Amino acid sequence: MTRRKVKLAFIVNNSSRKTTYKKRKRGLLKKAHEIFTLCGINAGAIIYSPYDPTPEVWPSVEGMNQVITTFRNLTEIDRHNNMVNQQEFVQQRITKADKLLLKKKKDNREVNLTEDMYRFLQIGQLTIPAGGHNNPALAKDLNDLGYLVDQYLNSLNRRIQILEGGSDVEIGESL
Amino acid sequence: MTRRKVKLAFIVNNSSRKTTYKKRKRGLLKKAHEIFTLCGINAGAIIYSPYDPTPEVWPSVEGMNQVITTFRNLTEIDRHNNMVNQQEFVQQRITKADKLLLKKKKDNREVNLTEDMYRFLQIGQLTIPAGGHNNPALAKDLNDLGYLVDQYLNSLNRRIQILEGGSDVEIGESL
DNA sequence: ATCACTATTATTAGGCA
DNA sequence: TTGCCTAATAATAGTGA
C-alpha cells in the first residue's frame, strides 16, 4: 500500500495512465458541475482522449457551444474574427444595398418624381454623345424617347383634365 | 467554525458566491492542468464569470482554440450549423441585392430608358388619386411635374436640334 | 479491464485579521 | 474586500479481488 504523493508528470505506464485518466475525468467534470451549480456561472470543459471516441463535454454539447461561442466572441481570435468580419462586411453591404433599395422604393412622391425625372433626363442626355448626329442607334433611341414622351404627355393631360374638372389642356406632342 | 458539508445549490449570498467561485476556479484549472500533464491528453476548460472581464481559459487561448476547433469539427452542432446557415442566408440576400443593383446600373441604354420612363409614368399616375382634384398637395406635384417636363422638353429640343443639324423643333411646353 | 477499498493527499467552507 | 488558517470534505493512487 504505497499511496504516496503523485509526481506531476506524464504517466508512462499505459494502463495506469488510462485508469488515472478515467478517474480524474470524472472528478474534473464533477468539479465543473459544482462550480456551475454553486456560482451560476457559465463554465465548460472539453476533454479529448485517445480512449474515448468522442470528446467528453460538459455541461452539454449545447451548453458547451454556448460557452465556446461566447468565448470566441469575447476573445480576439483569427478564425472567428475573420468570420465575424466577413459577416459584418456582408452585413454592411447588405445594409447599404437595402438602404439604396429602400430609397428607391421610398414613397415620397416629390422625391421620387424629381429623382426619377432627373435620372431620366440624364439618361436621355447620355444617349446623345457630342457630335454623334449620324449614329443610326440614336435615331432609334430618339424614336423610343418620343414614344415614351407621348405616353407621358398623354397621361399628364388626362391627369390635368381630371384635376381641373374636365377642361382639356394640351401640353404638347412629341415629334 | 462550522465547516459543514456544502449543499450543492446556488449560493445566494453575493460575496460568498464570489469567494467560492474564485477558489473553485483555481481548483478546476489546476485539475485540468493535472489531467493534461499526467495523461497527455487534450483537454480544456473555459470559465466565464461576471467577475472576470475575460473568460478563464486553460490550457491557453491558442490551445483552447485548437480544442474547440477539433471539437466543432467532430461534432455536428445546431448552433454552428445555424451560423453557417445564417451566413448562407446573408450571402444569398447579398447576391440578390447585388444582382438588383447590377441590373439597375446596367449600361444598356434602351433598357434603362424604357424602365425609367415607365417607372416615371407610373409614379406620375400614382400622384393622382382618383377624385383628388381639390387636394392642394396635388397642385404642387403638378407644378413640379410641369417644371420637370419643361426641363425635359428643353433638353429634348436641344438634342433634336443637334441631331437634325440646327433646325429648331418645338416639341411642346408644359402648363 | 473494472470494481471496491482506504490511506493519503488535495480541496475548500467558513472564521478571522 | 483579500489573504491566511484549519477543520471538514472530497478526490484519488495504489492495491487486491
Side-chain angles (χ1 to χ4, degrees), chain A residues 70-101:
Chain A
T70 312
F71 167 69
R72 286 210 186 269
N73 282 341
L74 287 178
T75 53
E76 302 283 335
I77 300 149
D78 42 14
R79 181 193 276 267
H80 183 250
N81 275 350
N82 284 343
M83 182 130 62
V84 168
N85 286 341
Q86 266 189 329
Q87 253 187 324
E88 279 179 359
F89 176 67
V90 169
Q91 192 54 56
Q92 278 182 353
R93 287 188 63 197
I94 255 301
T95 303
K96 212 169 165 184
D98 278 346
K99 275 185 186 167
L100 201 57
L101 285 177

Side-chain angles (χ1 to χ4, degrees), chain A residues 1 3-6 15 18-19 22-23 31 34 38:
Chain A
M1 282 206 194
R3 281 182 219 92
R4 65 184 169 285
K5 180 175 174 176
V6 179
S15 59
K18 181 173 181 177
T19 303
K22 293 179 87 169
K23 284 184 174 181
K31 288 286 184 193
E34 285 175 1
L38 290 170

Side-chain angles (χ1 to χ4, degrees), chain A residues 43-57:
Chain A
I46 302 176
I47 305 176
Y48 291 138
S49 75
Y51 315 122
D52 297 312
T54 56
E56 197 75 26
V57 174

